[in-house]
Amino acid sequence: MRQEAVGAALGTLGAWLIQALRHHRRKREAQVYELNGLHYQVLGHAWDHEIKDFKVVYRPLYHCVSEPARFEAHVLAVSHFSRWESKFNRVPLKTLPAAARRRVLAGPFTWDSKWPALPEHAASLPKGVRSRSGLGTRSHEPILLEQVLGDVKGFIETVHNRLVAAGFDAAEEGLEMDHICYRCESVQEYQDVLAALVPTFGTCMVEGMIGGRPITTVLLKEPFCHAGYSVACVEVPCPKPNRARFTKGANVVASSEIKIVDFAYFDVANGDLAGKHYVSGLEHVEIVVGSPEDGVEGNQRLLDFMDACRQKGMSFNFDDRALSKTLNADISVTLTEPAPVRGYHNLSEF
């Protein structure tokens, strides 16, 4: 009996020590800041329903009484991030005066069984990235690819449905969708989109100068799978200067190794694709036709592809201006946005 009592006491002591160590560790991890010689502890970030964004929640590490025309006495306060980041300086816990250090509380200060890994502090969203709600500049939740690129699923479905309506089902034929392309309206957006994609969603596979401007291909860590396709890459072209605006349509391009389905914007009055001003958004997808054995030289695979389309009765009006290229020759066909009465069966050449 005595041994059991000693064992129970030791077990209780062990549990208490573990709890004490955890408490000490959490206290060491406290985020403490200094302003004008006074110290504060950040408890987390809270959503403000009035401004539709997050604010910093903090507590003074001293007895805070009211000051005329400034604030009331309080033990908790909130601040917008621009004020907090410009005025408050984070300091190590060990540098705090003893009186302030004794007031520091050990977290965590939030808990939700359905969000066991939810951080107390909301991460700022990269430039150009929308929150899941479309509100605010920060989020507790991990960023999704759609927050950077928009409705990727809807985009793929639109292109796929228009191709199927035209008689070409790339998914049914088991063809690979190599990449999707996101057009940027400015150089700054180009840089912001790449910063949002890399390294969160992938790595920069190649950035090359094509047509006098950089085009970057990002290899995704996890392929984006939808509608029977598995997309491994995102292409992000940097815009050229002096782009003219254009209207909406869709374009299909093919090469000796690839066929690009281009959901693009173009000037109906100007058939030359060069020099257009692109608005931000998804522009095209690239679907591989043929096989690696076909190589990248010559255009026989393209000629065979066009002939097969004609034999199947597909009403594609091919643009063959790049058919004579020595390497990676390509052809294109435009699928314009149809009138409502025609559904997705209207095809025309730009």
Side-chain angles (χ1 to χ4, degrees), residues 57 62 83 95 125 127 132 139 150 171 178 184-185 206 212 215 226 236 256-257 333 338 343 346:
V57 180
Y62 59 92
R83 170 181 175 269
T95 65
L125 296 170
K127 288 184 178 179
R132 296 194 189 187
S139 178
D178 177 72
C184 300
E185 194 168 9
V206 61
I215 296 181
H226 184 63
V236 186
S256 54
E257 282 193 358
V333 61
N346 182 33

Side-chain angles (χ1 to χ4, degrees), residues 35 52 71 84 89 113 117 126 142 151 170 183 189 218-219 228 245 250 264 267 271 299 305 338 349:
L35 175 64
K52 307 299 184 186
F71 51 75
W84 186 266
N89 300 305
S113 61
D151 186 7
R183 286 280 186 179
E189 184 187 11
V218 175
L219 178 64
R245 290 197 175 272
D267 188 342
N299 58 15
F305 174 75
E349 184 177 13

Side-chain angles (χ1 to χ4, degrees), residues 78-341:
V78 296
S79 172
H80 51 80
F81 281 91
S82 59
R83 170 181 175 269
W84 186 266
E85 293 171 349
S86 65
K87 292 180 177 292
F88 292 76
N89 300 305
R90 186 167 182 180
V91 294
L93 179 66
K94 63 182 180 181
T95 65
L96 269 62
R101 194 161 56 246
R102 284 195 297 269
R103 288 179 176 266
V104 173
L105 299 178
F109 304 107
T110 60
W111 182 82
D112 188 322
S113 61
K114 294 184 179 179
W115 271 340
L118 185 69
E120 295 171 352
H121 303 278
S124 60
L125 296 170
K127 288 184 178 179
V129 176
R130 314 164 190 86
S131 66
R132 296 194 189 187
S133 67
L135 302 171
T137 58
R138 294 172 179 265
S139 178
H140 284 298
E141 298 173 292
I143 298 173
L144 302 176
L145 186 64
E146 292 91 330
Q147 290 173 250
V148 182
L149 303 179
D151 186 7
V152 181
K153 291 183 178 180
F155 173 72
I156 291 175
E157 286 178 4
T158 297
V159 175
H160 173 73
N161 290 340
R162 291 186 181 185
L163 287 174
V164 170
F168 181 66
D169 190 337
E172 182 69 23
E173 294 187 22
L175 300 181
E176 176 189 357
M177 185 175 287
D178 177 72
H179 76 246
I180 55 178
C181 173
Y182 184 91
R183 286 280 186 179
C184 300
E185 194 168 9
S186 66
V187 175
Q188 184 61 57
E189 184 187 11
Y190 170 75
Q191 296 170 344
D192 292 344
V193 169
L194 289 181
L197 290 174
V198 179
T200 302
F201 295 101
T203 58
C204 179
M205 189 166 67
V206 61
E207 180 178 34
M209 294 298 294
I210 301 176
R213 49 82 187 276
I215 296 181
T216 297
T217 300
V218 175
L219 178 64
L220 298 175
K221 294 178 181 178
E222 297 290 337
F224 188 91
C225 300
H226 184 63
Y229 299 102
S230 178
V231 184
C233 299
V234 177
E235 181 182 86
V236 186
C238 185
K240 292 181 180 179
N242 303 320
R243 294 290 188 178
R245 290 197 175 272
F246 43 90
T247 53
K248 195 173 183 179
N251 178 31
V252 180
V253 179
S255 76
S256 54
E257 282 193 358
I258 61 174
K259 179 174 67 63
I260 301 172
V261 182
D262 181 6
F263 188 66
Y265 294 79
F266 60 89
D267 188 342
V268 176
N270 180 8
D272 187 358
L273 284 176
K276 291 192 298 293
H277 172 88
Y278 290 95
V279 296
S280 304
L282 292 162
E283 186 213 38
H284 72 251
V285 305
E286 178 174 290
I287 298 176
V288 179
V289 298
S291 63
E293 289 75 20
D294 295 320
V296 296
E297 299 181 358
N299 58 15
Q300 188 58 52
R301 185 66 187 86
L302 289 176
L303 296 172
D304 293 343
F305 174 75
M306 288 189 293
D307 184 57
C309 288
R310 294 189 185 100
Q311 290 184 20
K312 293 179 181 179
M314 300 179 193
S315 52
F316 291 137
N317 295 313
F318 290 106
D319 177 354
D320 60 1
R321 286 177 290 179
L323 185 59
S324 60
K325 287 166 55 178
T326 304
L327 296 175
N328 284 327
D330 62 74
I331 57 175
S332 65
V333 61
T334 299
L335 303 173
T336 57
E337 190 168 62
V341 294

